[in-house]
Amino acid sequence: MWVLGAALVLPAACSSDDEPGSNGTGAGGKASAGHGGMTAGAGRASGGQGTGGVAGGASGRAGVGGTSGASNTTGGLGTGGASAGRGAAGAPGAGTSSAGSGGTSGTGGAGSGGNGDAGNDAGAAGDASGGTNGAGQDPFGIDEVYPTLPGGKEWFAKWDSSPRSFSGQDPNDDWFDADHGDASYQTDGDGILKISGDVPRMYIHDPELQDQWRDVEVTMYFMRVDDDGTNWGGLVALTRTNHGTIGSENQNLCDTRGIDARMRYDGKIDFEKETSHPDSVAVMSKTQWSGGMPKNVWLGYKLAVYDLPNGNVKLELYLDETDGENGGDWQLLQELEDDGSNFGSGGEPCDSGIDPAAKLTNAPTREGSESGKPNITVYFRSDGVGDDGLLYKRGSVREIDATP
């Protein structure tokens, strides 16, 4: 299931060593209403609105695009869509305004609304699994927050077969480029990648270095096992970057720009913008785990990065602590709308005349980009990892349709 939490704006942390930096501005929290999926997605907690359908319940609130049941005793059952919203015990009503026993049914096709609870407009759960805005589940059975863009690129981890060890390009996955940093990787073919080394860097990109990522949702389950406690180590996924992928990271400095969300070993979370390798600015730092990130427990990380109609860039960081049970209980920890002035200010510019706070959009070109392909890669990183000290599973990168 997918649940939103309140976004917070907190004092900024600067780059990886936590000196003062610029403040970020968190966008307001989303409404708690759940949305039905395009293909019978799950209703969300304290919502129960079905997209294009009806919410059951006595005087229950209508789903988006439909109308509510009219004072059923215990709720009518709207039909005619992918997955009807259910009242507590009402008799079925037709999807085109036929009267059900005890009340009048709603009109319109049913979306994946939740259970109307005797007239309350909060739905408990939809009949089928899924995310919001037509999203469903990925091949690992994990809920998607946003649906995959039709025809968009997708990468899913290939660690569930062919035991292997490597310290560079994954021989079984030409999109998984670990020929960066300093680390080694091993899988027993059980779906888990074991990571060892001081500087793990794992890049996901078109092996032909032509097709760039656009708006993305990045998901990874990870377990902290053994490390040296580097504060800014942990689970970090960078987007909107060409960092060291085409050309050297020490020469193509404008291509090293990127944006990420960090779940850190010191227990903090934040958003970070790399402005010119190795310089970065972090904002919205807050403590998620007092006493540091826990060890030997699976944590689900999800980062959505997408352009808004107004040209700004939106970042959303989610956490699942159920190890993917029923698709995961994805909590929105915080979100940021980058307007080109509130994220990266005061950072080191990558070149003369380049604003370090500039928005890193999904456009195929970017001012200053040396390669002309500024969004070629998404990559995962950590630091100071011991032998088999960091585990990954169920990894994915998907291009998404985040249209409201």
Side-chain angles (χ1 to χ4, degrees), residues 178-185 195-203 228 230 232 243 249 277 379-386 390:
D179 193 18
H180 303 265
D182 181 15
S184 60
Y185 308 88
I195 302 168
S196 308
D198 287 338
V199 192
R201 300 290 187 268
M202 295 147 281
Y203 287 50
D228 65 7
T230 300
W232 56 88
H243 189 289
E249 65 185 28
H277 178 72
Y379 74 93
F380 299 92
R381 77 173 192 222
S382 189
D383 291 278
V385 177
L390 181 61

Side-chain angles (χ1 to χ4, degrees), residues 137-301:
Q137 291 188 336
D138 69 18
F140 302 115
I142 301 304
D143 283 353
E144 301 168 342
V145 175
Y146 296 101
T148 300
L149 181 72
K153 293 184 290 300
E154 297 178 304
W155 170 83
F156 298 101
K158 297 179 180 180
W159 306 321
D160 56 356
S161 62
S162 302
R164 58 194 182 275
S165 299
F166 57 96
S167 56
Q169 180 69 48
D170 183 346
N172 287 58
D173 184 354
D174 57 4
W175 279 71
F176 190 83
D177 171 17
D179 193 18
H180 303 265
D182 181 15
S184 60
Y185 308 88
Q186 188 262 329
T187 179
D188 295 327
D190 57 358
I192 296 174
L193 182 70
K194 301 175 182 177
I195 302 168
S196 308
D198 287 338
V199 192
R201 300 290 187 268
M202 295 147 281
Y203 287 50
I204 313 299
H205 61 76
D206 170 22
E208 301 300 321
L209 300 178
Q210 297 297 319
D211 198 356
Q212 301 186 72
W213 292 104
R214 292 166 288 183
D215 297 340
V216 294
E217 182 174 319
V218 181
T219 305
M220 187 67 76
Y221 281 82
F222 70 103
M223 179 185 290
R224 179 188 187 188
V225 179
D226 180 51
D227 54 74
D228 65 7
T230 300
N231 285 340
W232 56 88
L235 198 292
V236 185
L238 277 96
T239 66
R240 305 283 170 93
T241 188
N242 190 338
H243 189 289
T245 309
I246 301 176
S248 167
E249 65 185 28
N250 297 314
Q251 295 178 0
N252 290 2
L253 296 180
C254 287
D255 271 345
T256 66
R257 290 176 291 174
I259 48 180
D260 64 67
R262 303 190 290 186
M263 293 183 182
R264 299 163 40 128
Y265 287 150
D266 62 5
K268 295 179 181 179
I269 60 172
D270 60 23
F271 292 119
E272 180 188 35
K273 177 180 282 184
E274 186 159 0
T275 62
S276 178
H277 178 72
D279 294 294
S280 64
V281 174
V283 299
M284 295 181 65
S285 175
K286 76 171 187 178
T287 298
Q288 181 66 29
W289 298 281
S290 59
M293 179 186 289
K295 290 185 175 182
N296 301 309
V297 60
W298 285 109
L299 300 171
Y301 169 107

Side-chain angles (χ1 to χ4, degrees), residues 1 37 39-44 83 112 126-131 135-137 141 143 326-327:
M1 82 187 271
T39 56
R44 297 302 165 197
S83 173
S112 59
D127 291 329
S129 60
Q137 291 188 336
D143 283 353
N326 297 321

